[in-house]
């Protein structure tokens, strides 16, 4: 049987649409809806981008417990450290290709 996994990036990538932004409460509300839709992973943000984004990822990770929450990070120590900080309330933090909860998605 073929399997399709939904790795939703709306909370991070959706904010890059012109004229659109979300505060932390908006992100939590949308993350709850995505969890209700049973997406496989929610990428909550890019914690190194700003203190506000780091805090929003933390809050989403704390509030939405039924779906793995991911954070985006470049392959840089400070980025990965910020992602770990944002996701540490979820327990262990390992790269997305090794674990489902909570993943840190890195890029070069």
């Amino acid at each position: 049987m073929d399997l399709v996994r939904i790795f939703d990036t709306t909370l991070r990538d959706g904010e890059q649409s012109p004229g659109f932004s979300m505060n932390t409460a908006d992100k939590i509300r949308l993350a709850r809806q995505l969890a209700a839709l049973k997406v496989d992973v929610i990428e909550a943000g890019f914690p190194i981008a700003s203190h506000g984004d780091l805090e929003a990822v933390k809050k989403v990770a704390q509030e939405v417990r039924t779906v793995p929450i991911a954070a985006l990070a470049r392959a840089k120590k400070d980025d990965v450290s910020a992602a770990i900080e944002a996701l540490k309330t979820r327990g262990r933090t390992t790269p997305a290709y090794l674990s489902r909860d909570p993943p840190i998605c890195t890029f070069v």
Side-chain angles (χ1 to χ4, degrees), residues 7-107:
F7 187 104
D8 190 276
T9 63
T10 305
L11 298 182
R12 180 194 57 80
D13 209 23
E15 279 206 304
Q16 296 181 28
S17 299
F20 183 77
S21 66
M22 291 181 275
N23 62 34
T24 300
D26 294 334
K27 286 188 173 196
I28 292 168
R29 188 170 29 259
L30 183 53
R32 286 182 177 143
Q33 290 302 313
L34 291 168
L37 289 170
K38 300 196 184 299
V39 300
D40 294 294
V41 179
I42 298 170
E43 187 177 72
F46 189 30
I48 196 70
S50 69
H51 180 71
D53 209 33
L54 183 138
E55 291 301 316
V57 174
K58 272 187 188 179
K59 290 290 188 186
V60 169
Q62 290 169 349
E63 299 285 330
V64 180
R65 306 294 287 187
T66 59
V67 168
I69 304 298
L72 183 67
R74 294 170 294 191
K76 293 182 162 189
K77 184 179 179 179
D78 288 345
D79 285 34
V80 174
S81 294
I84 290 170
E85 172 68 23
L87 296 174
K88 71 181 180 183
T89 61
R90 292 291 290 231
R92 68 177 198 268
T93 53
T94 55
Y97 60 87
L98 297 177
S99 174
R100 286 197 64 214
D101 190 22
I104 297 171
C105 306
T106 57
F107 68 97

